[in-house]
Structures are given as structure tokens and as C-alpha cells.
Amino acid sequence: MTTNKEQRSSFRAHIINAVSNLLETEDVNKQGGDPEFIGGGELEEEDQLTLVDFFAHWCGPCMNMMPIIDEIKDQFSDHLRILKVDVDKNAAACKTYQIRGVPTFILFRNGHIIWTKVGALTKQDLVQSIAKEIKP
């Protein structure tokens, strides 16, 4: 029988391994938002918060979140990196992170999942959730 600590360690290793596989993402922090390929190192940067937005182009709520994500990017530009992952192009990532619906937002710090939120959110909810995690 495995302990909770062993399960957490195994889960973390699985996540890091999965993220190490290249994902086609759109880094909205870059000028022009050109697609970028990332590996696990980007999610493990020291004290770097990374918000990953799992979305689909055919998803109405995902498209409605785009302007909110742009505002979040501007508001937290010094503290937050935002990556967008197209679920239709990244089935393995969706399986790894158990993405069951879109949009799904996962906030990482140093490669660790801080929280996961599923569905369209208000700007206020997203801002509050991110602001709680920013270290002074």
C-alpha cells in the first residue's frame, strides 16, 4: 500500500515528466503571441507564477475569456507568465492534467500546481485567485 507522500511524489514526477514533453502553446506574454514550444523548465522557474489556459477555438466561453486573459496579462506582467494550450493540438497534455472541460486554468509555481479552475471565470475571480499567490 502506498502512502499519501509516495502518491504525491509519484504524481509530481508524472507531471514534471509530462510537461517536459514539448507542448505547442501560445505565450501571450510575447509580442505578437506567436506559438512557442515549451518544456518543463519554463514551469519550474524559481518563484515564477505561470497560468496555463487550456482552451479550444470552437469553445464560446474560451473565446469570451480571451479579453480577460489579456487584461490579466497587463495587470500582472511583472509577476505572471501566461501560456495558452490548444486542447485539440495537445491531447497528451489534456490527459496528463485531466482536462475534462474548457476553459481550464492551472496556476503553477516552480512546477507545482497551485490551483485548477474549470469554466469561464469573472475577471474579479481570476484576479483574486492570482493575487493571493503573488509573494510580496
Side-chain angles (χ1 to χ4, degrees), residues 1-8 10:
M1 178 177 267
T2 59
T3 65
N4 283 343
K5 184 176 181 180
E6 290 170 330
Q7 288 174 336
R8 285 191 306 268
S10 174

Side-chain angles (χ1 to χ4, degrees), residues 4-23:
N4 283 343
K5 184 176 181 180
E6 290 170 330
Q7 288 174 336
R8 285 191 306 268
S9 178
S10 174
F11 179 74
R12 182 176 186 278
H14 177 73
I15 294 297
I16 297 301
N17 183 44
V19 174
S20 294
N21 296 326
L22 295 179
L23 302 175

Side-chain angles (χ1 to χ4, degrees), residues 102-118:
V102 287
T104 295
F105 303 95
I106 303 178
L107 186 70
F108 290 87
R109 173 180 278 125
N110 303 332
H112 298 277
I113 295 174
I114 304 297
W115 52 250
T116 300
K117 300 195 180 288
V118 180

Side-chain angles (χ1 to χ4, degrees), residues 31-48:
Q31 288 289 33
D34 295 328
E36 175 183 291
F37 290 91
I38 64 164
E42 284 82 354
L43 296 179
E44 293 181 358
E45 293 177 15
E46 187 174 333
D47 286 332
Q48 173 70 44

Side-chain angles (χ1 to χ4, degrees), residues 70-126:
D70 286 340
E71 292 174 21
I72 296 289
K73 174 191 71 167
D74 294 338
Q75 184 172 348
F76 293 106
S77 62
D78 293 339
H79 304 284
L80 181 70
R81 179 175 186 187
I82 299 175
L83 300 173
K84 296 180 71 61
V85 177
D86 184 334
V87 297
D88 293 324
K89 295 180 181 178
N90 294 287
C94 293
K95 183 176 180 182
T96 297
Y97 292 104
Q98 300 177 354
I99 306 301
R100 303 279 187 256
V102 287
T104 295
F105 303 95
I106 303 178
L107 186 70
F108 290 87
R109 173 180 278 125
N110 303 332
H112 298 277
I113 295 174
I114 304 297
W115 52 250
T116 300
K117 300 195 180 288
V118 180
L121 303 169
T122 66
K123 179 182 175 187
Q124 180 180 358
D125 287 341
L126 200 50

